[in-house]
Amino acid sequence: AKLIFTTSLFLGTTITISSNHWITAWAGLEINTLAILPLISKSHHPRSIEAATKYFLTQATASTLVLFASMTNAWHTGQWDITQLTHPTSCLILTSAIAMKLGLVPFHFWFPEVLQGSPLATGLLLSTIMKFPPVVLLVMTSPSLNPTLLTFMAISSAALGGWMGLNQTQTRKIMAFSSISHLGWMTIIISYDPKLTLLNFYLYTMMTAAVFLILNTNNTLSLSTLMTTWAKNPTLSAMLLLTLLSLAGLPPLTGFLPKWLIIQELTKQDMAIAATVISLLSLLGLFFYLRLAYCATITLPPPTPNHMKQWHTNKPVNTSIAILTPMSTMLLP
């Protein structure tokens, strides 16, 4: 069953990103949604069932809106081609549909809930590969979308992703809000340089994969359990610190690269104010990444009787972690 779901996942993604016609793009998105649902609700916990239901409803609405936008466009222009989306109303509807697919503000409310209800591996899929088809659709239609609206949504995403992540204690919710603010960075540049959006997405995927895999190895779902993992695998905790700082976008690390290029491009486009605002808002993100990193590596935990210290393991670490962590810290040069 798991094999079927993962192959359908990759199949749906491939169909969407290689399609020229709106209907095939929509079909790929639907295959994706249906394939990830069993992976979310696998644990049969009431919360994961609730997460799967929420995910299904939002994604079904967004897919319907994609169909509606393409039909309105075809009705007015006779074009079913994805790149020929020219009618202003359908552009507006499509923007809202893709924002709903991705979890951009103001359609972001489902994402933290769904991520909190699903297991860590599924959470990784949800925040990386499930975002890929909508991002590609956004890139393909970017010349005809409204840049003012996109900039507004991007800045509010960065703001809300930063502010709402500040008081979270669950690692999955923190990762969800970090994802929302990163999507803000991707959206702000899409009208001016779509290649930067894709670059940002690839690097974000890499760093998020590294963080999720490390959390999965340590089996940490909240900050209080993160405090006791340093005893289990100290090297892994140190790498988690670096990867988190890279995700926050600190200069010598990989995560700074897309931010640097985006700020440069925005200042070329006479949008220095927007660049300043979104850079200041990413400091909010830096705060909660620092708090995660602080809990993971620097602090000796307070003597909590309800948390067992974990045994030190000499088990070999997953190869993908070993590849992803150096890449997500050292790719900047």
Side-chain angles (χ1 to χ4, degrees):
K2 206 176 257 186
L3 178 71
I4 292 178
F5 297 142
T6 39
T7 43
S8 324
L9 207 61
F10 284 105
L11 175 76
T13 308
T14 317
I15 290 178
T16 305
I17 62 182
S18 56
S19 59
N20 288 319
H21 195 289
W22 274 113
I23 298 291
T24 41
W26 167 80
L29 290 172
E30 286 295 306
I31 293 174
N32 251 358
T33 306
L34 293 176
I36 196 89
L37 283 174
L39 296 177
I40 300 176
S41 55
K42 196 172 55 189
S43 61
H44 291 298
H45 190 274
R47 175 163 279 187
S48 64
I49 304 293
E50 181 191 346
T53 314
K54 283 177 179 171
Y55 185 76
F56 174 72
L57 291 174
T58 45
Q59 298 297 312
T61 315
S63 295
T64 317
L65 281 177
V66 167
L67 262 189
F68 183 50
S70 51
M71 278 174 63
T72 334
N73 187 59
W75 180 258
H76 282 285
T77 62
Q79 282 286 350
W80 279 101
D81 198 13
I82 292 186
T83 47
Q84 301 290 328
L85 189 80
T86 46
H87 192 250
T89 317
S90 30
C91 289
L92 202 63
I93 298 171
L94 184 85
T95 311
S96 60
I98 287 187
M100 207 181 288
K101 277 268 178 214
L102 288 172
L104 276 170
V105 174
F107 306 105
H108 62 287
F109 296 101
W110 62 273
F111 189 51
E113 302 292 324
V114 170
L115 216 61
Q116 182 58 30
S118 47
L120 278 167
T122 314
L124 167 62
L125 288 177
L126 275 174
S127 47
T128 56
I129 196 172
M130 295 304 288
K131 306 265 184 195
F132 189 43
V135 164
V136 170
L137 286 180
L138 200 57
V139 167
M140 286 167 77
T141 52
S142 59
S144 47
L145 301 180
N146 181 0
T148 324
L149 176 67
L150 286 175
T151 309
F152 178 70
M153 284 165 87
I155 289 180
S156 46
S157 293
L160 267 152
W163 267 313
M164 294 171 76
L166 289 180
N167 55 357
Q168 300 294 335
T169 55
Q170 302 289 322
T171 46
R172 285 170 296 185
K173 273 200 171 156
I174 292 181
M175 292 311 291
F177 288 118
S178 106
S179 177
I180 293 174
S181 55
H182 273 273
L183 282 168
W185 276 92
M186 289 173 220
T187 321
I188 199 167
I189 197 65
I190 190 115
S191 316
Y192 309 106
D193 197 348
K195 286 195 179 65
L196 279 183
T197 301
L198 282 179
L199 171 78
N200 195 344
F201 182 77
Y202 296 144
L203 293 179
Y204 159 74
T205 301
M206 203 170 61
M207 296 183 287
T208 309
V211 172
F212 266 111
L213 288 171
I214 294 177
L215 291 178
N216 197 20
T217 309
N218 286 339
N219 200 8
T220 45
L221 296 177
S222 67
L223 289 181
S224 48
T225 44
L226 192 62
M227 281 185 172
T228 57
T229 53
W230 59 272
K232 185 178 179 182
N233 199 334
T235 340
L236 205 56
S237 292
M239 284 317 287
L240 179 62
L241 165 81
L242 283 176
T243 318
L244 283 167
L245 291 183
S246 178
L247 206 49
L250 284 190
L253 306 164
T254 311
F256 180 57
L257 176 64
K259 286 189 166 48
W260 179 21
L261 293 172
I262 286 173
I263 290 171
Q264 186 181 348
E265 184 62 34
L266 284 177
T267 40
K268 280 183 194 165
Q269 300 284 351
D270 291 334
M271 292 177 63
I273 299 171
T276 314
V277 170
I278 201 165
S279 314
L280 287 174
L281 288 172
S282 70
L283 292 177
L284 293 168
L286 176 65
F287 180 80
F288 58 76
Y289 291 124
L290 271 176
R291 198 177 57 181
L292 265 179
Y294 191 66
C295 289
T297 51
I298 308 169
T299 50
L300 289 175
T304 41
N306 53 352
H307 281 299
M308 300 280 288
K309 270 226 184 73
Q310 305 202 15
W311 287 96
H312 187 98
T313 57
N314 285 328
K315 203 174 62 181
V317 174
N318 192 334
T319 326
S320 44
I321 299 183
I323 299 168
L324 284 168
T325 39
M327 280 176 75
S328 51
T329 46
M330 297 173 189
L331 270 188
L332 181 66

